PDB file of all heavy atoms in Angstrom:
ATOM      1  N   LEU A 659     110.138 134.687  97.509  1.00 97.00           N
ATOM      2  CA  LEU A 659     111.276 134.106  98.228  1.00 97.00           C
ATOM      3  C   LEU A 659     111.089 132.604  98.423  1.00 97.00           C
ATOM      4  O   LEU A 659     112.041 131.816  98.279  1.00 97.00           O
ATOM      5  CB  LEU A 659     111.441 134.800  99.583  1.00 97.00           C
ATOM      6  CG  LEU A 659     111.935 136.246  99.562  1.00 97.00           C
ATOM      7  CD1 LEU A 659     111.954 136.819 100.974  1.00 97.00           C
ATOM      8  CD2 LEU A 659     113.324 136.323  98.943  1.00 97.00           C
ATOM      9  N   LEU A 660     109.863 132.198  98.790  1.00 97.00           N
ATOM     10  CA  LEU A 660     109.585 130.777  98.970  1.00 97.00           C
ATOM     11  C   LEU A 660     109.830 130.017  97.669  1.00 97.00           C
ATOM     12  O   LEU A 660     110.482 128.957  97.659  1.00 97.00           O
ATOM     13  CB  LEU A 660     108.136 130.589  99.433  1.00 97.00           C
ATOM     14  CG  LEU A 660     107.634 129.149  99.510  1.00 97.00           C
ATOM     15  CD1 LEU A 660     108.394 128.350 100.566  1.00 97.00           C
ATOM     16  CD2 LEU A 660     106.135 129.109  99.792  1.00 97.00           C
ATOM     17  N   ASN A 661     109.336 130.533  96.558  1.00 97.00           N
ATOM     18  CA  ASN A 661     109.484 129.838  95.272  1.00 97.00           C
ATOM     19  C   ASN A 661     110.941 129.765  94.833  1.00 97.00           C
ATOM     20  O   ASN A 661     111.379 128.761  94.258  1.00 97.00           O
ATOM     21  CB  ASN A 661     108.643 130.542  94.214  1.00 97.00           C
ATOM     22  CG  ASN A 661     107.150 130.305  94.423  1.00 97.00           C
ATOM     23  OD1 ASN A 661     106.757 129.402  95.161  1.00 97.00           O
ATOM     24  ND2 ASN A 661     106.337 131.121  93.782  1.00 97.00           N
ATOM     25  N   ILE A 662     111.703 130.812  95.083  1.00 97.00           N
ATOM     26  CA  ILE A 662     113.135 130.790  94.749  1.00 97.00           C
ATOM     27  C   ILE A 662     113.831 129.666  95.510  1.00 97.00           C
ATOM     28  O   ILE A 662     114.639 128.907  94.954  1.00 97.00           O
ATOM     29  CB  ILE A 662     113.786 132.155  95.053  1.00 97.00           C
ATOM     30  CG1 ILE A 662     113.283 133.215  94.058  1.00 97.00           C
ATOM     31  CG2 ILE A 662     115.315 132.048  94.996  1.00 97.00           C
ATOM     32  CD1 ILE A 662     113.699 134.638  94.421  1.00 97.00           C
ATOM     33  N   ALA A 663     113.511 129.560  96.806  1.00 97.00           N
ATOM     34  CA  ALA A 663     114.130 128.516  97.630  1.00 97.00           C
ATOM     35  C   ALA A 663     113.725 127.126  97.144  1.00 97.00           C
ATOM     36  O   ALA A 663     114.567 126.222  97.037  1.00 97.00           O
ATOM     37  CB  ALA A 663     113.731 128.711  99.097  1.00 97.00           C
ATOM     38  N   LEU A 664     112.441 126.936  96.829  1.00 97.00           N
ATOM     39  CA  LEU A 664     111.968 125.627  96.371  1.00 97.00           C
ATOM     40  C   LEU A 664     112.608 125.252  95.037  1.00 97.00           C
ATOM     41  O   LEU A 664     113.013 124.098  94.827  1.00 97.00           O
ATOM     42  CB  LEU A 664     110.445 125.639  96.240  1.00 97.00           C
ATOM     43  CG  LEU A 664     109.653 125.711  97.553  1.00 97.00           C
ATOM     44  CD1 LEU A 664     108.174 125.913  97.278  1.00 97.00           C
ATOM     45  CD2 LEU A 664     109.874 124.449  98.393  1.00 97.00           C
ATOM     46  N   ARG A 665     112.713 126.220  94.139  1.00 97.00           N
ATOM     47  CA  ARG A 665     113.323 125.925  92.835  1.00 97.00           C
ATOM     48  C   ARG A 665     114.803 125.579  92.987  1.00 97.00           C
ATOM     49  O   ARG A 665     115.316 124.692  92.292  1.00 97.00           O
ATOM     50  CB  ARG A 665     113.148 127.126  91.905  1.00 97.00           C
ATOM     51  CG  ARG A 665     111.727 127.296  91.378  1.00 97.00           C
ATOM     52  CD  ARG A 665     111.669 128.351  90.288  1.00 97.00           C
ATOM     53  NE  ARG A 665     110.369 128.374  89.637  1.00 97.00           N
ATOM     54  CZ  ARG A 665     109.412 129.254  89.915  1.00 97.00           C
ATOM     55  NH1 ARG A 665     109.632 130.201  90.835  1.00 97.00           N
ATOM     56  NH2 ARG A 665     108.255 129.207  89.286  1.00 97.00           N
ATOM     57  N   GLN A 666     115.483 126.250  93.887  1.00 96.00           N
ATOM     58  CA  GLN A 666     116.905 125.970  94.068  1.00 96.00           C
ATOM     59  C   GLN A 666     117.111 124.564  94.624  1.00 96.00           C
ATOM     60  O   GLN A 666     117.987 123.820  94.155  1.00 96.00           O
ATOM     61  CB  GLN A 666     117.540 126.993  95.010  1.00 96.00           C
ATOM     62  CG  GLN A 666     119.027 126.747  95.243  1.00 96.00           C
ATOM     63  CD  GLN A 666     119.704 127.895  95.972  1.00 96.00           C
ATOM     64  OE1 GLN A 666     119.295 129.057  95.850  1.00 96.00           O
ATOM     65  NE2 GLN A 666     120.738 127.581  96.740  1.00 96.00           N
ATOM     66  N   VAL A 667     116.310 124.192  95.607  1.00 96.00           N
ATOM     67  CA  VAL A 667     116.447 122.870  96.211  1.00 96.00           C
ATOM     68  C   VAL A 667     116.030 121.781  95.218  1.00 96.00           C
ATOM     69  O   VAL A 667     116.683 120.738  95.096  1.00 96.00           O
ATOM     70  CB  VAL A 667     115.605 122.782  97.500  1.00 96.00           C
ATOM     71  CG1 VAL A 667     115.609 121.357  98.047  1.00 96.00           C
ATOM     72  CG2 VAL A 667     116.141 123.744  98.552  1.00 96.00           C
ATOM     73  N   ALA A 668     114.955 122.027  94.476  1.00 95.00           N
ATOM     74  CA  ALA A 668     114.464 121.029  93.524  1.00 95.00           C
ATOM     75  C   ALA A 668     115.429 120.842  92.371  1.00 95.00           C
ATOM     76  O   ALA A 668     115.555 119.725  91.830  1.00 95.00           O
ATOM     77  CB  ALA A 668     113.095 121.446  93.001  1.00 95.00           C
ATOM     78  N   GLY A 669     116.118 121.906  91.970  1.00 92.00           N
ATOM     79  CA  GLY A 669     117.003 121.826  90.818  1.00 92.00           C
ATOM     80  C   GLY A 669     118.167 120.883  91.003  1.00 92.00           C
ATOM     81  O   GLY A 669     118.803 120.465  90.027  1.00 92.00           O
ATOM     82  N   GLN A 670     118.456 120.530  92.238  1.00 83.00           N
ATOM     83  CA  GLN A 670     119.584 119.645  92.525  1.00 83.00           C
ATOM     84  C   GLN A 670     119.178 118.169  92.594  1.00 83.00           C
ATOM     85  O   GLN A 670     120.008 117.319  92.877  1.00 83.00           O
ATOM     86  CB  GLN A 670     120.222 120.062  93.854  1.00 83.00           C
ATOM     87  CG  GLN A 670     120.665 121.521  93.884  1.00 83.00           C
ATOM     88  CD  GLN A 670     121.022 121.977  95.289  1.00 83.00           C
ATOM     89  OE1 GLN A 670     121.093 121.188  96.221  1.00 83.00           O
ATOM     90  NE2 GLN A 670     121.244 123.280  95.437  1.00 83.00           N
ATOM     91  N   ARG A 671     117.895 117.872  92.337  1.00 92.00           N
ATOM     92  CA  ARG A 671     117.404 116.509  92.540  1.00 92.00           C
ATOM     93  C   ARG A 671     116.577 116.058  91.347  1.00 92.00           C
ATOM     94  O   ARG A 671     115.729 116.794  90.840  1.00 92.00           O
ATOM     95  CB  ARG A 671     116.563 116.439  93.821  1.00 92.00           C
ATOM     96  CG  ARG A 671     117.384 116.676  95.083  1.00 92.00           C
ATOM     97  CD  ARG A 671     116.509 116.954  96.282  1.00 92.00           C
ATOM     98  NE  ARG A 671     117.316 117.010  97.501  1.00 92.00           N
ATOM     99  CZ  ARG A 671     118.022 118.055  97.889  1.00 92.00           C
ATOM    100  NH1 ARG A 671     118.029 119.155  97.136  1.00 92.00           N
ATOM    101  NH2 ARG A 671     118.736 118.026  99.000  1.00 92.00           N
ATOM    102  N   SER A 672     116.769 114.816  90.933  1.00 92.00           N
ATOM    103  CA  SER A 672     116.058 114.282  89.776  1.00 92.00           C
ATOM    104  C   SER A 672     114.699 113.711  90.142  1.00 92.00           C
ATOM    105  O   SER A 672     113.896 113.407  89.253  1.00 92.00           O
ATOM    106  CB  SER A 672     116.899 113.190  89.104  1.00 92.00           C
ATOM    107  OG  SER A 672     117.151 112.123  90.023  1.00 92.00           O
ATOM    108  N   ASN A 673     114.428 113.531  91.420  1.00 94.00           N
ATOM    109  CA  ASN A 673     113.162 112.914  91.842  1.00 94.00           C
ATOM    110  C   ASN A 673     112.164 113.956  92.353  1.00 94.00           C
ATOM    111  O   ASN A 673     111.291 113.641  93.170  1.00 94.00           O
ATOM    112  CB  ASN A 673     113.398 111.861  92.922  1.00 94.00           C
ATOM    113  CG  ASN A 673     113.923 112.449  94.221  1.00 94.00           C
ATOM    114  OD1 ASN A 673     114.640 113.458  94.201  1.00 94.00           O
ATOM    115  ND2 ASN A 673     113.590 111.836  95.352  1.00 94.00           N
ATOM    116  N   VAL A 674     112.279 115.195  91.879  1.00 95.00           N
ATOM    117  CA  VAL A 674     111.396 116.267  92.350  1.00 95.00           C
ATOM    118  C   VAL A 674     110.681 116.913  91.167  1.00 95.00           C
ATOM    119  O   VAL A 674     111.298 117.223  90.145  1.00 95.00           O
ATOM    120  CB  VAL A 674     112.170 117.344  93.136  1.00 95.00           C
ATOM    121  CG1 VAL A 674     111.231 118.474  93.559  1.00 95.00           C
ATOM    122  CG2 VAL A 674     112.848 116.730  94.354  1.00 95.00           C
TER     123      VAL A 674
END
Side-chain angles (χ1 to χ4, degrees):
L659 290 176
L660 173 65
N661 288 344
I662 290 171
L664 290 172
R665 286 190 171 100
Q666 180 170 330
V667 173
Q670 304 168 9
R671 293 165 173 80
S672 60
N673 66 329
V674 178

